[in-house]
Amino acid sequence: MRPLLCLLSYSAYTLHQNDQIASQLMLIVECFHKASLIHDDIEDGDEFRYGEKTTHFENGVPQAVNLGDYLIGQGYLKLSRLQVPVHIKAQLLDLFAHMHVESTVGQGEELVAFEEHRVFNKEKMMELFKQKTGSAIRVSLVSGALAAQAPLHEVELLERFSDWFGIAYQIRDDLTEFRGEAIDQERASFPFLKSLLLDSTSIRPQTTAEWHEILVLNAVDKRAEDELNDALSQMRDCLNQLESQKLRLALLSVVNRIFDRA
């Protein structure tokens, strides 16, 4: 999805389509994304990805760490060789570096919270969602827009859209886990629902079963649905302000498909 978002953004704003720039940008985005998945799988102890054995289960942790590092290096190497004006390349380098740092900070805080059974408040969780998931969407859309030299106000709208996308995506995942619909239920922890409960009660369940019971009793999933719908509304508001009708319609189609909205 992320290389597709990059291509959609670049194609929407460029005055002179350059297929080599587009393909290289898509590859750069995917290098960073796949590296993050390899490292995330190690940190989370996941055995499967896309229905197949994860790299560290197949080849061992040292090889998997090395492969993730290699992909990150390839991402920056290909970015340094991208045939765009120097000032655009500088903006892209800053964008990808910020994404790299931001996503690892978000992942780190989430790991600590999981290991220490810590529950953050709603505002903190939404910030983590922006860092961990929104940053990957932001770098995909904004890199294409920057390479195409899109107007600043369009770039800012894409940044806001990406932040809300990350929030919506993670809330949707929490609801899927809570309702027993996730593929991997063993690690189900639904942290956003816990945050909503934390904001309204002093009750602190100790086990996953206790959390689930008290969340059901307080109908917290309904409140999470409201938060998800608000995030989707914020995303559509950003899209409605885009001057590029081509990109607006394309992203609306992506949103509807991912979030099963008609």
Side-chain angles (χ1 to χ4, degrees):
M1 178 184 69
R2 289 159 185 80
L4 172 63
L5 294 177
C6 180
L7 178 62
L8 289 173
S9 181
Y10 177 75
S11 299
Y13 292 111
T14 186
L15 298 178
H16 305 286
Q17 181 83 21
N18 186 315
D19 291 339
Q20 184 176 12
I21 290 176
S23 63
Q24 286 299 300
L25 264 180
M26 292 168 68
L27 184 56
I28 291 166
V29 165
E30 193 64 359
C31 279
F32 283 107
H33 177 54
K34 284 296 186 285
S36 73
L37 295 185
I38 291 170
H39 288 167
D40 282 0
D41 287 341
I42 295 170
E43 292 163 345
D44 295 342
D46 289 334
E47 186 174 353
F48 293 94
R49 168 76 65 175
Y50 306 136
E52 298 183 6
K53 289 277 189 179
T54 51
T55 304
H56 69 284
F57 261 84
E58 192 74 23
N59 303 291
V61 171
Q63 288 281 21
V65 170
N66 194 57
L67 177 58
D69 291 345
Y70 172 81
L71 288 172
I72 292 169
Q74 281 287 356
Y76 282 117
L77 181 63
K78 293 183 183 301
L79 181 57
S80 72
R81 296 175 177 176
L82 195 65
Q83 297 299 304
V84 294
V86 173
H87 73 284
I88 296 298
K89 188 179 296 185
Q91 291 176 339
L92 288 169
L93 179 60
D94 185 77
L95 172 70
F96 277 93
H98 268 87
M99 176 275 300
H100 194 176
V101 172
E102 194 174 3
S103 62
T104 52
V105 168
Q107 174 75 349
E109 293 213 52
E110 186 176 81
L111 287 170
V112 169
F114 183 81
E115 291 166 0
E116 298 180 357
H117 306 288
R118 188 185 305 173
V119 179
F120 295 124
N121 61 33
K122 186 181 81 170
E123 287 70 26
K124 177 64 174 179
M125 281 308 307
M126 291 176 74
E127 186 62 31
L128 287 184
F129 292 163
K130 291 179 185 179
Q131 293 174 319
K132 192 171 183 297
T133 305
S135 62
I137 301 301
R138 190 184 320 125
V139 80
S140 303
L141 285 171
V142 174
S143 63
L146 290 177
Q149 302 188 49
L152 177 60
H153 60 272
E154 293 284 280
V155 172
E156 291 173 345
L157 284 170
L158 293 177
E159 290 174 339
R160 282 175 45 205
F161 169 84
S162 300
D163 285 344
W164 284 109
F165 190 108
I167 291 170
Y169 195 89
Q170 291 295 139
I171 295 176
R172 194 278 308 269
D173 272 8
D174 266 31
L175 285 168
T176 299
E177 288 183 352
F178 181 72
R179 292 165 178 170
E181 300 166 357
I183 295 175
D184 181 12
Q185 282 295 131
E186 291 185 9
R187 288 183 59 84
S189 58
F190 27 89
F192 186 71
L193 274 69
K194 293 177 181 177
S195 294
L196 292 179
L197 184 65
L198 178 69
D199 286 350
S200 60
T201 179
S202 59
I203 299 174
R204 296 294 181 271
Q206 298 301 310
T207 67
T208 300
E210 290 175 354
W211 270 109
H212 197 281
E213 181 180 2
I214 197 69
L215 288 168
V216 169
L217 287 174
N218 285 269
V220 178
D221 60 322
K222 302 294 190 263
R223 289 161 56 192
E225 278 283 0
D226 291 340
E227 294 285 349
L228 173 58
N229 289 328
D230 179 62
L232 291 172
S233 177
Q234 295 284 353
M235 291 163 63
R236 292 193 179 94
D237 180 61
C238 292
L239 295 182
N240 288 335
Q241 296 180 59
L242 287 177
E243 293 181 359
S244 172
Q245 182 179 12
K246 178 181 178 181
L247 185 58
R248 179 167 63 248
L249 293 175
L251 290 180
L252 184 60
S253 176
V254 170
V255 169
N256 290 340
R257 181 169 181 176
I258 290 176
F259 294 98
D260 298 321
R261 295 304 201 264

